[in-house]
Amino acid sequence: DIIRTIRDPEKPNTLEELEVVTESCVQVQGIGEDEYLVIIRFTPTVPHCSLATLIGLCLRIKLQRCLPFRHKLEIYISEGTHSTEEDINKQINDKERVAAAMENPNLCEIVEQCVTEPD
């Protein structure tokens, strides 16, 4: 429910409407007392999607802000659905790269537009 309303950076649709994320792409596993591993696998609309890293960043930021429990978060592009999936997976799961990206005011503004709930 948390990620279904994230908007695509280029289109007026949500990631759920575009089938970039679906309920079946989310796994939650208990890894300790009151701690969970959340794994998201998303599927870009095209294999060369230039905004796949940005979509992964939006997923991470929204979940970090909204999950009501302690968690470890792993976000991946669904295997075989993007031409540079390995590089993108490394980027969106690297805390330093995510922090650096969110220090960029332009990028931060785009992420905010994508993750903010519609009125």
Side-chain angles (χ1 to χ4, degrees):
D1 287 342
I2 292 171
I3 62 175
R4 72 175 1 134
T5 59
I6 297 173
R7 286 186 293 287
D8 184 89
E10 285 185 318
K11 300 179 173 103
N13 307 81
T14 67
L15 297 182
E16 182 183 52
E17 291 167 343
L18 296 169
E19 296 183 355
V20 173
V21 295
T22 62
E23 193 170 336
S24 64
C25 78
V26 179
Q27 286 182 291
V28 180
Q29 304 167 1
I31 56 173
E33 190 171 320
D34 297 327
E35 191 169 5
Y36 298 88
L37 169 61
V38 178
I39 302 170
I40 308 288
R41 295 190 188 284
F42 70 99
T43 304
T45 53
V46 291
H48 54 278
C49 177
S50 61
L51 297 175
T53 305
L54 179 57
I55 290 168
L57 182 61
C58 290
L59 290 165
R60 177 168 295 284
I61 296 303
K62 179 82 174 208
L63 287 165
Q64 284 177 339
R65 290 180 182 173
C66 296
L67 286 177
F69 49 79
R70 289 187 359 193
H71 60 278
K72 182 176 182 207
L73 187 56
E74 295 180 4
I75 299 173
Y76 303 104
I77 291 181
S78 299
E79 197 171 322
T81 63
H82 196 279
S83 55
T84 61
E85 71 185 70
E86 190 174 318
D87 292 336
I88 293 170
N89 287 342
K90 283 181 189 174
Q91 273 189 292
I92 58 180
N93 288 294
D94 182 311
K95 289 179 183 175
E96 287 81 21
R97 286 182 179 184
V98 169
M102 291 306 291
E103 288 177 7
N104 176 322
N106 296 327
L107 195 53
C108 190
E109 184 179 337
I110 293 168
V111 169
E112 290 300 329
Q113 289 172 1
C114 293
V115 302
T116 301
E117 295 289 329
D119 294 333

